[in-house]
Amino acid sequence: MTVSVHPLFVLFGLFFFLRGELFLFFVCTAAALIHEFGHALYAARIGCRLDRILLLPCGAVVQGDIEGISLADEIRLALAGSAVNAACAVLFVALWWLFPATYASTDSAAYMSAGLRVINLQPAYAREGRRVLDLLVARFLSAPAARILRVVCCPVS
C-alpha cells in the first residue's frame, strides 16, 4: 500500500507547525491513517485490494478496487474505518484508566479518534454514513425515494 501526500496537506502541516501545534497535527494524521487502514484491512479480509491512501488537508481517502462485493460487505467496508476509530478511542481511555500518567499524551488521540468516528457516520457527502445511506436507498427504496433524497440535499449516486 502506498501513501501519497497532497501538496496542500504539507501546507496544512506547516500551518500547525507555525502555531506550535505540530503534535496535534501528527495525532490527526495518525487517526486518519488508522481509519483508512481499517477500510483496507477489511477489504483484504473479503478478498479486495485497496492500494493507495491519499492524505488531504481535510482527512484521508483510500482508493482501490471493490467491484463485485455484496451489499452487506460493502456496508461493512464503509463502516470498518469508524469501527477501528471507536476501538482506538476505547483503547486510549483504557490507558487512562490503567496508567493515569498517560492522559497528557493520549487525550488528544482519544478525542480525535472518537470525533473522526462521529463525523464519518454522518450521512453527508464523502462520508461513510452517506455511502451506507446510498447503498440502502438503492437496495430497498424506489426511484421516487431517491428523488426525494436529492431534494433534501442528500443526492444518491
Side-chain angles (χ1 to χ4, degrees):
M1 175 165 299
T2 61
V3 177
S4 302
V5 177
H6 192 277
L8 290 177
F9 180 80
V10 176
L11 289 176
F12 196 61
L14 181 62
F15 171 75
F16 272 80
F17 174 75
L18 293 174
R19 290 184 45 107
E21 298 175 345
L22 195 57
F23 179 73
L24 184 59
F25 174 74
F26 287 135
V27 167
C28 294
T29 302
L33 283 172
I34 289 169
H35 179 92
E36 299 306 333
F37 278 122
H39 293 300
L41 288 173
Y42 186 77
R45 181 174 173 222
I46 61 172
C48 295
R49 181 170 167 81
L50 299 178
D51 51 2
R52 181 176 180 232
I53 294 177
L54 176 61
L55 291 172
L56 301 165
C58 58
V61 176
V62 66
Q63 299 169 336
D65 182 26
I66 60 167
E67 289 296 320
I69 65 173
S70 69
L71 175 70
D73 279 338
E74 196 164 350
I75 289 172
R76 286 186 202 112
L77 178 61
L79 297 175
S82 294
V84 169
N85 281 126
C88 285
V90 168
L91 174 72
F92 287 123
V93 171
L95 281 173
W96 299 346
W97 184 264
L98 297 172
F99 307 103
T102 63
Y103 178 79
S105 57
T106 59
D107 68 329
S108 297
Y111 289 124
M112 182 55 63
S113 292
L116 195 55
R117 174 185 164 79
V118 169
I119 288 170
N120 275 292
L121 289 177
Q122 295 176 356
Y125 182 72
R127 304 279 181 252
E128 282 113 27
R130 164 65 189 277
R131 181 71 182 149
V132 171
L133 177 67
D134 286 354
L135 292 167
L136 293 175
V137 165
R139 172 76 168 113
F140 295 111
L141 297 179
S142 62
R147 278 188 236 120
I148 291 169
L149 284 173
R150 246 184 246 116
V151 170
V152 294
C153 298
C154 293
V156 178
S157 50

